[in-house]
Amino acid sequence: MENVPSADGDSTSGNGIGPGGDGTPADGPHSGGDGAGTDGDPGGSAAPAPKKPRSFWKELPILVVIALVLALLIKTFLVQAFSIPSDSMQNTLQQGDRVLVDKLTPWFGSEPERGEVVVFHDPDDWLAGEPTAQPNAIQTFLSWIGLMPSAQERDLIKRVIGVGGDTVSCKNSGPLMVNGHALNEPYVYPGNTPCSVDDQGGQFTVHVPKGYIWVMGDHRQNSRDSRYNQSDKHHGMVPVKDVVGRAIVKAWPINRWGTLPIPDTFDQSGINTQSSAAASLSVAPQGVTVAAVLPVVVWRRRRGERIERKFDKRVAADKR
């Protein structure tokens, strides 16, 4: 029962035992059975029992779902793994290597640059006649969530040599020229020449349209790249919209781990002269427009000045 204050300020317990009746002070602990109070619980209610931790096996499905969702988001928007299917990029990449491809920057409008190694969708049946792997169910699932490279995606990997506005040419055995500047290409497969001497596409001069790139394999004499697909609907060019992303890291096998930087040869001065030429072409129509509009602007300004002078004279006459 509840303690009731007495007239002199002491308290009496509900069982009729007064102060000092059993030698226990009135402000001491009381035995109340099931109704006994606790610190912080003046009403005498029992403390709630602590919740039992959820079983690991009950939490496991939740953790798996979260991991799958994160893997799908990463694969879709950030990074995806790809397997190298051929020798066309030796020695930079070996058949069977796994690379991680940056898929994030294209979402922000970034476009491929010269020297980058990029993965792109087959532009126009470049892989015709190539065998397609038949993965099992587990491999298919893991590739779907991005935990292993897809074996069925029709993608290729090459190095960007020219971008929109560039002129790329190959004569005899080389060197490869971009906008009239020779490239020093240490990444070309040992024993290969920068240009292939044949009449199938190895000798060429091409102008890359805006929105396209020109790609070549590092194993020049073993790569069916832009040179040998000039008869397709894009004339060997790869639409920028078909580029999946830039390969940034060799992730597997671990003893071949390393980054894939842009070679210094693409940073040489003067190689971007096409940008100035392209800018001149794009500015030229604007210059013609300005030249055509300028006389009209001058005429309207002078006409406005004449009208303003007449108005001032009229105001002065009215004041007189």
Side-chain angles (χ1 to χ4, degrees), residues 1-218:
M1 294 178 59
E2 183 178 3
N3 294 336
V4 180
S6 65
D8 59 359
D10 292 331
S11 62
T12 58
S13 64
N15 58 9
I17 302 176
D22 59 354
T24 305
D27 58 352
H30 302 281
S31 174
D34 292 340
T38 59
D39 291 342
D41 188 12
S45 60
K51 290 185 177 180
K52 185 179 179 181
R54 183 177 294 174
S55 167
F56 169 76
W57 298 109
K58 290 182 179 179
E59 289 188 346
L60 183 60
I62 299 175
L63 296 175
V64 170
V65 170
I66 293 173
L68 292 178
V69 171
L70 289 175
L72 283 172
L73 290 174
I74 290 172
K75 171 191 173 183
T76 304
F77 299 106
L78 300 178
V79 176
Q80 185 174 356
F82 285 86
S83 178
I84 305 305
S86 70
D87 297 328
S88 68
M89 283 297 293
Q90 286 180 322
N91 271 336
T92 304
L93 298 171
Q94 302 287 351
Q95 186 173 1
D97 283 356
R98 265 61 169 175
V99 296
L100 298 182
V101 174
D102 167 26
K103 301 177 70 175
L104 177 63
T105 51
W107 287 90
F108 294 94
S110 174
E111 294 192 356
E113 297 182 8
R114 301 183 202 93
E116 292 181 347
V117 177
V118 296
V119 171
F120 55 94
H121 299 312
D122 190 340
D124 189 27
D125 215 17
W126 287 18
L127 295 174
E130 294 290 333
T132 302
Q134 299 297 325
N136 57 40
I138 295 177
Q139 291 172 326
T140 300
F141 175 73
L142 291 177
S143 64
W144 178 70
I145 64 174
L147 295 181
M148 85 175 280
S150 174
Q152 291 186 314
E153 291 182 0
R154 306 287 285 178
D155 296 325
L156 300 97
I157 185 166
K158 306 289 181 189
R159 189 180 298 276
V160 179
I161 301 298
V163 296
D166 283 346
T167 297
V168 185
S169 62
C170 240
K171 298 299 180 184
N172 301 317
S173 59
L176 183 62
M177 308 287 288
V178 176
N179 298 326
H181 293 265
L183 297 183
N184 175 29
E185 300 184 283
Y187 47 79
V188 170
Y189 185 74
N192 278 194
T193 54
C195 301
S196 300
V197 181
D198 58 52
D199 58 357
Q200 307 300 313
Q203 304 286 291
F204 63 88
T205 297
V206 295
H207 303 282
V208 186
K210 295 294 183 183
Y212 290 84
I213 56 176
W214 178 269
V215 297
M216 296 173 68
D218 290 354

